[in-house]
């Protein structure tokens, strides 16, 4: 197997860093100015994770591309880390939002779009009853609270190295990545409110025996999971694993919640519809508003019937669910426009083959150079990782190579291709084309050839 010369990697990275600085004088100046009043120089801390010594400042974005303030154009394969998976600046969403702002943005009363949105989400995901939230993080918080209320059990369960936004209970991992290990705070988690082991059970992905053993203890209200892990690299389920998860959770009276916020890349109804899954609840956020902040959570008739009483109760406004701006007229207009014109089967019929072509191109380069790496795809989402294919989140986390990650991101952006900042994820929309795929394949090949000399 080919190995990487780390000294050469460091030298190439330094060259690319200087190239980045030279290419972006306006972004550099704006970044310096922003530091005066913005903590860490950005309005949201994740924006510090981009390649280069400062973030790019964007002038405009449309479809599958954007232009920075220095006038440079980019193929955008990040798409706002799924928030703009539809493609940037959908005309129907822009029109709907503009029209809605002229008729009232929020009143804390339902708009005429709300019932349509719930019906469309029901059609797509197969769950009949829905509620809205501002973000998928909020929606996840709400469903966890509902699950504890309905079951009377104190803990929730998640997969090791999962991702469900900034939900406190989900920021836990297994200490050494093995079933039965002590649950500890995820590395990097700031200021946990309590020891996460008090609130959360953690099991490895693709390990039914571990799930069975942990749920048998009888203290878990729900299992919150992605049908495939997406934020520690793409880790796909083994054959029969998700059916086994459903059987085990039902047998132990544990509610199953699918977080489809990233796995919506599998199709119009996410992995839930694409793989005929039967969760008790579903959470979806990010792209359903075409870039406008909004999320939703759906549930079975059985769960809805049990929640109807509390939802109509006098104290629902202090129950820890909801939010003043959730379900606003603006958000409902954006979701209706988005789901009417995007994230449809015909859109995936364009985007998924592009992701497949991307995967083939990367694999060809990996094979040509006998590298011990792999590329994985889930619908219109694809990602390469500097290790053989992992089966669990812990295996993927152990293989993280921050030096290679930083180099490939920087090399790509210097050649006009933007990847997601946290890992090597690329996302395709119906506005992309084969030339965009080829641009990345060319950049990836060039980076590999430069590394190997």
């Amino acid at each position: 197997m080919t190995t990487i010369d780390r000294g050469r990697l460091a030298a190439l990275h330094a060259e690319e860093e200087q190239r980045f600085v030279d290419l972006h004088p306006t972004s550099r100046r704006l970044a310096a100015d922003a530091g005066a009043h913005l903590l860490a120089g950005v309005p949201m801390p994740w924006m510090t994770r981009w390649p280069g010594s400062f973030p790019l400042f964007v002038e405009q974005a449309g479809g599958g591309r954007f232009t920075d303030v220095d006038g440079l154009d980019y193929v955008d394969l990040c798409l706002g880390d799924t928030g703009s998976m539809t493609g940037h600046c959908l005309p129907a969403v822009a029109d709907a939002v503009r029209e809605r702002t002229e008729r009232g943005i929020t009143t804390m009363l339902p708009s005429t779009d709300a019932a349509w949105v719930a019906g469309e989400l029901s059609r797509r995901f197969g769950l009949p009853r829905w509620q809205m939230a501002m973000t998928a993080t909020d929606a996840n918080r709400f469903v966890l609270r509902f699950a504890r209320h309905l079951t009377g059990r104190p803990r929730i369960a998640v997969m090791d190295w999962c991702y469900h936004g900034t939900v406190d209970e989900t920021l836990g991992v297994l200490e050494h990545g093995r079933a039965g290990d002590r649950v500890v705070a995820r590395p990097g988690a700031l200021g946990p409110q309590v020891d996460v082991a008090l609130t959360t059970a953690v099991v490895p992905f693709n390990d039914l025996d571990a799930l069975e053993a942990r749920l048998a203890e009888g203290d878990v209200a729900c299992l919150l999971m992605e049908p495939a892990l997406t934020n520690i690299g793409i880790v796909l389920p083994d054959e029969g694993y998700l059916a086994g998860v459903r059987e085990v959770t039902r047998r132990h009276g544990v509610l199953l919640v699918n977080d489809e916020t990233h796995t919506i890349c599998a199709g119009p109804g996410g992995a839930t519809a694409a793989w005929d899954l039967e969760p008790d609840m579903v959470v979806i956020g990010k792209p359903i508003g075409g870039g406008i902040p909004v999320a939703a959570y759906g549930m079975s008739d059985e769960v809805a019937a049990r929640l109807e009483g509390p939802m109509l109760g006098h104290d629902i406004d202090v129950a820890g669910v909801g939010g003043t701006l959730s379900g606003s007229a603006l958000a409902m207009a954006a979701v209706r426009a988005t789901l009417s014109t995007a994230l449809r089967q015909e859109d995936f019929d364009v985007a998924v083959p592009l992701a497949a072509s991307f995967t083939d191109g990367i694999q060809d380069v990996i094979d040509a150079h006998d590298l011990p790496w792999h590329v994985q795809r889930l619908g219109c989402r694809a990602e390469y990782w500097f290790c053989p294919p992992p089966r669990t989140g812990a295996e993927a986390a152990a293989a993280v190579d921050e030096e290679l990650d930083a180099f490939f991101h920087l090399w790509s952006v210097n050649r006009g291709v933007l990847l997601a900042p946290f890992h090597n994820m690329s996302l395709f929309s119906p506005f992309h084309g084969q030339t965009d795929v080829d641009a990345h394949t060319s950049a990836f090949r060039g980076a590999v050839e430069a590394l190997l000399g």
Side-chain angles (χ1 to χ4, degrees):
M1 287 289 183
T2 304
T3 58
I4 300 300
D5 180 334
R6 294 289 161 163
R8 184 176 182 84
L9 171 58
L12 285 169
H13 188 276
E15 292 175 10
E16 290 302 311
E17 184 64 63
Q18 186 59 54
R19 180 185 177 109
F20 179 86
V21 171
D22 293 342
L23 284 170
H24 306 105
T26 309
S27 281
R28 184 183 188 185
R29 175 178 57 79
L30 290 173
D33 293 345
H37 298 291
L38 286 170
L39 180 63
V42 291
M44 194 275 284
W46 302 354
M47 295 179 184
T48 64
R49 290 289 309 275
W50 293 102
S53 54
F54 48 85
L56 296 178
F57 282 67
V58 175
E59 181 66 32
Q60 68 89 27
R65 309 182 74 88
F66 73 91
T67 304
D68 72 13
V69 292
D70 286 290
L72 301 176
D73 293 328
Y74 298 84
V75 175
D76 187 0
L77 300 183
C78 173
L79 295 177
D81 196 23
T82 312
S84 291
M85 178 180 150
T86 58
H88 295 292
C89 204
L90 291 177
V93 175
D95 290 344
V97 167
R98 186 181 304 111
E99 190 273 342
R100 187 67 253 184
T101 60
E102 295 172 353
R103 294 196 297 120
I105 293 172
T106 183
T107 59
M108 215 173 73
L109 291 166
S111 70
T112 54
D113 293 322
W116 185 97
V117 166
E120 178 62 10
L121 291 170
S122 177
R123 184 189 69 80
R124 287 174 176 242
F125 290 94
L127 291 169
R129 305 293 291 279
W130 289 82
Q131 279 278 292
M132 308 307 298
M134 283 289 290
T135 68
T137 288
D138 279 348
N140 280 322
R141 287 192 182 107
F142 302 160
V143 299
L144 297 185
R145 187 174 288 273
F146 285 140
R148 289 189 294 259
H149 170 76
L150 292 174
T151 64
R153 298 175 180 177
R155 282 186 171 84
I156 63 107
V158 296
M159 296 295 158
D160 195 26
W161 292 93
C162 66
Y163 181 72
H164 301 288
T166 58
V167 179
D168 286 319
E169 295 98 318
T170 67
L171 298 176
V173 296
L174 295 169
E175 187 170 25
H176 303 294
R178 298 186 299 262
D181 280 352
R182 188 165 66 101
V183 175
V184 297
R186 181 170 178 150
L190 295 176
Q193 58 177 339
V194 296
D195 181 354
V196 70
L198 298 176
T199 63
T200 308
V202 179
V203 295
F205 193 74
N206 276 326
D207 191 336
L208 284 175
D209 290 339
L211 182 66
E212 170 71 45
R214 186 60 189 84
L215 297 191
E217 296 183 31
D219 61 346
V220 171
C222 74
L223 171 62
L224 174 62
M225 69 178 293
E226 294 182 293
L229 298 183
T230 64
N231 216 55
I232 192 68
I234 296 172
V235 181
L236 296 175
D238 290 344
E239 183 71 28
Y241 172 66
L242 295 176
V245 167
R246 180 67 282 193
E247 190 278 324
V248 171
T249 51
R250 279 186 173 140
R251 181 154 40 81
H252 290 288
V254 173
L255 295 172
L256 177 59
V257 184
N258 282 357
D259 184 349
E260 292 275 16
T261 301
H262 285 173
T263 51
I264 184 65
C265 61
T272 295
W275 298 343
D276 295 322
L277 307 180
E278 299 179 357
D280 299 295
M281 305 182 83
V282 160
V283 168
I284 179 65
K286 289 194 178 180
I288 64 169
I292 298 296
V294 62
Y297 54 100
M299 63 199 74
S300 67
D301 277 328
E302 180 184 1
V303 171
R306 297 168 65 192
L307 286 175
E308 201 82 47
M311 292 291 280
L312 295 172
H314 176 73
D315 294 325
I316 192 59
D317 58 320
V318 292
V321 298
T324 303
L325 297 178
S326 296
S328 71
L330 180 67
M332 295 300 91
V335 177
R336 183 168 187 168
T338 302
L339 298 185
S340 296
T341 62
L343 301 175
R344 304 160 301 175
Q345 188 58 54
E346 54 261 48
D347 299 307
F348 285 94
D349 288 344
V350 175
V352 170
L354 292 172
S357 179
F358 172 97
T359 301
D360 291 342
I362 297 303
Q363 191 64 58
D364 287 347
V365 176
I366 290 172
D367 293 343
H369 295 279
D370 197 27
L371 291 162
W373 303 348
H374 81 284
V375 59
Q376 192 65 274
R377 182 178 65 83
L378 177 62
C380 61
R381 182 185 184 106
E383 185 160 355
Y384 51 89
W385 212 246
F386 306 115
C387 67
R391 289 186 61 251
T392 70
E395 289 178 8
V400 170
D401 192 318
E402 294 185 358
E403 292 177 345
L404 280 174
D405 280 348
F407 171 70
F408 274 89
H409 281 79
L410 192 54
W411 181 282
S412 296
V413 80
N414 280 346
R415 285 148 187 84
V417 181
L418 187 77
L419 308 177
F422 315 112
H423 35 99
N424 304 303
M425 186 273 286
S426 292
L427 197 61
F428 289 88
S429 77
F431 294 96
H432 287 111
Q434 186 60 43
T435 57
D436 299 324
V437 174
D438 294 343
H440 177 268
T441 303
S442 176
F444 182 81
R445 181 182 294 107
V448 169
E449 291 174 350
L451 274 174
L452 300 182

